[in-house]
């Protein structure tokens, strides 16, 4: 008879399960402590630069055009129709060159009317002067006659008084003679006063009429100038740059008729970003690239206000310029602000502003990884910027735009 044996308990599966669980937990904990893999960036697609110590030339750059220093704008003084055009843009002109002729019958009629009114006023002035002078002469004759009468009556009175004292004439006759002499003297005084008033009135009336004549002369002169202005002259020696009109076109006062320039003397007008123009002052050295050569100039003027985010800077140029330099030619200019000695500097990162803090990727020594670090920047130039804090000499940093990797702290370059 077989006796059944008791089966030994099977513990091995439980031990394996517990060991597997421990291994799984260890792996999970280890993976949780691992850093996420850094994204890979193509090294050829980024711009790297090395921090260096040495001199730094601060410069700002801008584009602009060549502009003549002497520009004469010819505008219409009166309305008119273009009848003839004698010269076209590009021609060399002198001060008396006739550029075009305008016509306006109303202006010519106004000039003739002004001349008529002036002639009439001058005739009235001459007539008034003749009448007043005649009246004054008549009054002077009356004064002269009374003067003689007064002298005669005075002599009669004196003689009569002497006879009265000798009792040759009576008292009544003596009084009559003396009263007549006094009457003549008073009449003479009144006529003299009348002559003074007449002379003063004559001067005032003639002066008033003369002022009217002068006013009409000014009006007639102005009307003649309007008629003459319809023959448009160059005004000075130079080159006719613009003449934006055609035959038969009607122009109004103030409309541009032509522009005459002197092309031998040019200046550069640069537009520089307002954030970079704050340190530009007159007298600073500048280099202007005319596409046919680089010319050294000097900052002559800085606009007091910005326009559309830029500041206009005028650069005075030498008299002799490279061939091909002409008005309205597009140029690029660089203004040298100052020279710094023994400073840390690096190429200008994308989006960097002077005196700001920027996060840059710095390459780790002997590796292909770059980590993000804050860098404090100082004074800037066109292609370089001063490093104040965060980098050391010899460090390599990424200057390209890395906004696509703002969410990570490190990248791998391959």
């Amino acid at each position: 008879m077989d006796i059944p044996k008791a089966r030994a308990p099977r513990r091995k599966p439980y031990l394996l399960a517990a060991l597997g669980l421990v291994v799984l937990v260890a792996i999970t904990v280890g993976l949780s402590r691992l850093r996420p893999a850094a994204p890979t960036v193509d090294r050829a697609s980024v711009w790297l630069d090395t921090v260096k110590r040495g001199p730094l030339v601060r410069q700002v750059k801008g584009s602009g055009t060549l502009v003549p220093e002497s520009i004469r704008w010819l505008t219409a003084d009166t309305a008119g129709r273009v009848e003839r055009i004698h010269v076209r843009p590009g021609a060399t002109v002198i001060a008396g060159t006739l550029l075009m002729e305008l016509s306006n019958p109303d202006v010519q009629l106004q000039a003739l009317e002004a001349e008529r009114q002036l002639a009439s006023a001058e005739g009235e002035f001459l007539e008034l002067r003749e009448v007043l002078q005649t009246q004054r002469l008549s009054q002077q004759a009356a004064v002269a006659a009374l003067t003689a009468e007064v002298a005669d009556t005075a002599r009669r009175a004196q003689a009569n008084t002497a006879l009265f004292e000798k009792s040759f004439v009576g008292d009544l006759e003596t009084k009559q003679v003396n009263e007549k002499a006094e009457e003549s003297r008073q009449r003479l005084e009144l006529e003299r006063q009348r002559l003074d008033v007449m002379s003063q009135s004559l001067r005032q009336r003639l002066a008033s009429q003369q002022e009217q004549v002068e006013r009409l002369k000014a009006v007639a002169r102005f009307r003649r100038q309007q008629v003459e202005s319809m023959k448009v002259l160059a005004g000075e020696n130079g080159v006719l740059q613009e003449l934006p009109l055609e035959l038969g076109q009607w122009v109004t006062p103030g409309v541009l008729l032509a522009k005459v320039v002197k092309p031998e003397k040019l200046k550069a007008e640069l537009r520089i970003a307002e954030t970079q123009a704050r340190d530009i002052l007159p007298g600073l050295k500048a280099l202007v690239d005319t596409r046919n050569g680089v010319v050294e100039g000097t900052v002559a003027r800085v606009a007091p206000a910005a326009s559309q985010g830029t500041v206009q800077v005028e650069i005075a140029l030498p008299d002799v310029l490279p061939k091909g330099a002409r008005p309205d030619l597009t140029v690029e200019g660089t203004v040298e602000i100052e020279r710094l000695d023994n400073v840390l500097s690096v190429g200008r990162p994308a989006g960097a502003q002077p005196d700001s803090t920027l996060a840059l990727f710095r390459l780790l020594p002997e590796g292909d990884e770059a980590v993000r670090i804050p860098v404090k920047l100082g004074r800037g130039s066109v292609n370089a910027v001063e490093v104040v804090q965060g980098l050391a000499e010899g460090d390599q940093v990424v200057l390209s735009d890395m906004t696509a990797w703002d969410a990570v702290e490190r990248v791998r370059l391959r």
Side-chain angles (χ1 to χ4, degrees):
M1 180 179 179
D2 294 333
I3 299 174
K5 295 182 180 181
R7 303 179 65 178
R10 301 180 62 182
R11 298 180 180 179
K12 189 174 181 179
Y14 298 102
L15 292 176
L16 293 176
L19 181 61
L21 182 60
V22 171
V23 172
L24 180 59
V25 171
I27 293 175
T28 302
V29 172
L31 291 176
S32 65
R33 293 183 178 180
L34 289 177
R35 292 179 304 177
T40 301
V41 179
D42 187 3
R43 183 184 291 264
S45 66
V46 296
W47 177 25
L48 300 175
D49 195 18
T50 303
V51 179
K52 48 188 173 295
R53 180 176 294 275
L56 173 64
V57 180
R58 292 188 61 204
Q59 297 174 326
V60 293
K61 198 170 185 179
S63 59
T65 57
L66 292 182
V67 179
E69 288 194 358
S70 177
I71 302 177
R72 186 177 184 89
W73 299 84
L74 303 177
T75 57
D77 292 336
T78 183
R81 179 174 287 102
V82 180
E83 292 294 340
R84 296 180 184 85
I85 297 178
H86 299 279
V87 182
R88 289 293 181 178
T92 301
V93 297
I94 61 175
T97 301
L98 180 61
L99 304 182
M100 69 174 67
E101 295 182 42
L102 307 178
S103 66
N104 188 337
D106 293 337
V107 174
Q108 295 174 341
L109 288 176
Q110 291 172 356
L112 293 175
E113 177 62 19
E115 295 287 351
R116 186 196 66 78
Q117 292 179 359
L118 174 60
S120 176
E122 288 177 339
E124 292 176 0
F125 173 76
L126 294 176
E127 182 180 356
L128 177 63
R129 185 174 62 179
E130 180 180 355
V131 171
L132 293 179
Q133 287 181 348
T134 301
Q135 292 177 356
R136 186 177 64 174
L137 291 175
S138 298
Q139 185 62 24
Q140 288 177 342
V143 170
L146 281 174
T147 301
E149 182 180 344
V150 168
D152 182 64
T153 56
R155 287 191 299 271
R156 288 178 179 277
Q158 184 178 4
N160 205 311
T161 301
L163 292 174
F164 175 75
E165 291 177 352
K166 296 179 180 181
S167 301
F168 291 153
V169 295
D171 181 56
L172 179 61
E173 185 178 354
T174 301
K175 289 182 178 179
Q176 289 177 345
V177 172
N178 290 337
E179 288 175 355
K180 186 174 182 179
E182 179 64 20
E183 179 188 1
S184 298
R185 188 186 62 79
Q186 291 180 356
R187 286 173 55 199
L188 176 61
E189 183 65 25
L190 292 175
E191 290 298 329
R192 283 177 174 173
Q193 292 179 3
R194 183 179 179 185
L195 177 61
D196 292 340
V197 172
M198 185 177 294
S199 299
Q200 184 177 2
S201 174
L202 181 147
R203 289 192 296 269
Q204 292 177 348
R205 293 179 66 181
L206 289 179
S208 176
Q209 187 65 23
Q210 184 65 35
E211 290 178 358
Q212 177 66 14
V213 171
E214 293 300 326
R215 285 193 292 269
L216 291 175
K217 281 184 178 179
V219 173
R221 189 183 311 114
F222 175 74
R223 296 301 184 187
R224 285 195 297 268
Q225 290 176 351
Q226 283 187 321
V227 174
E228 293 172 358
S229 69
M230 291 192 293
K231 291 185 177 181
V232 183
L233 304 180
E236 64 180 18
N237 300 344
V239 174
L240 180 61
Q241 186 177 22
E242 291 185 22
L243 200 155
L245 300 174
E246 296 297 336
L247 292 176
Q249 187 173 347
W250 182 264
V251 298
T252 57
V255 170
L256 175 65
L257 300 179
K259 183 169 72 171
V260 178
V261 302
K262 292 185 176 180
E264 63 273 8
K265 186 60 177 175
L266 301 176
K267 63 182 178 181
E269 289 186 353
L270 304 180
R271 307 296 301 184
I272 296 178
E274 57 186 353
T275 56
Q276 302 178 11
R278 58 185 179 182
D279 296 327
I280 299 179
L281 297 173
L284 293 179
K285 177 183 175 182
L287 297 176
V288 178
D289 185 1
T290 65
R291 316 299 183 184
N292 297 313
V294 178
V295 181
E296 182 175 335
T298 305
V299 176
R301 189 183 72 88
V302 181
S307 176
Q308 298 179 354
T310 60
V311 176
Q312 181 174 304
V313 178
E314 291 185 4
I315 308 297
L317 301 177
D319 295 336
V320 180
L321 298 177
K323 289 185 177 181
R326 62 188 63 191
D328 296 332
L329 180 69
T330 302
V331 297
E332 289 188 356
T334 303
V335 180
E336 181 179 311
I337 298 176
E338 63 176 335
R339 291 178 177 268
L340 305 176
D341 296 326
N342 194 27
V343 296
L344 279 178
S345 63
V346 71
R348 194 180 186 104
Q353 296 295 333
D355 301 321
S356 63
T357 300
L358 186 68
L360 298 177
F361 282 96
R362 182 188 64 186
L363 267 68
L364 296 177
E366 300 179 357
D368 58 355
E369 286 191 352
V371 296
R372 185 193 300 273
I373 60 170
V375 178
K376 185 176 181 181
L377 305 178
R379 292 163 290 186
S381 182
V382 177
N383 298 318
V385 65
E386 179 186 11
V387 177
V388 177
Q389 186 179 352
L391 295 175
E393 184 178 0
D395 288 345
Q396 281 191 306
V397 294
V398 178
L399 303 182
S400 303
D401 184 9
M402 301 292 284
T403 54
W405 291 272
D406 284 345
V408 299
E409 296 298 321
R410 63 177 59 228
V411 296
R412 183 180 300 276
L413 301 180
R414 62 176 176 83

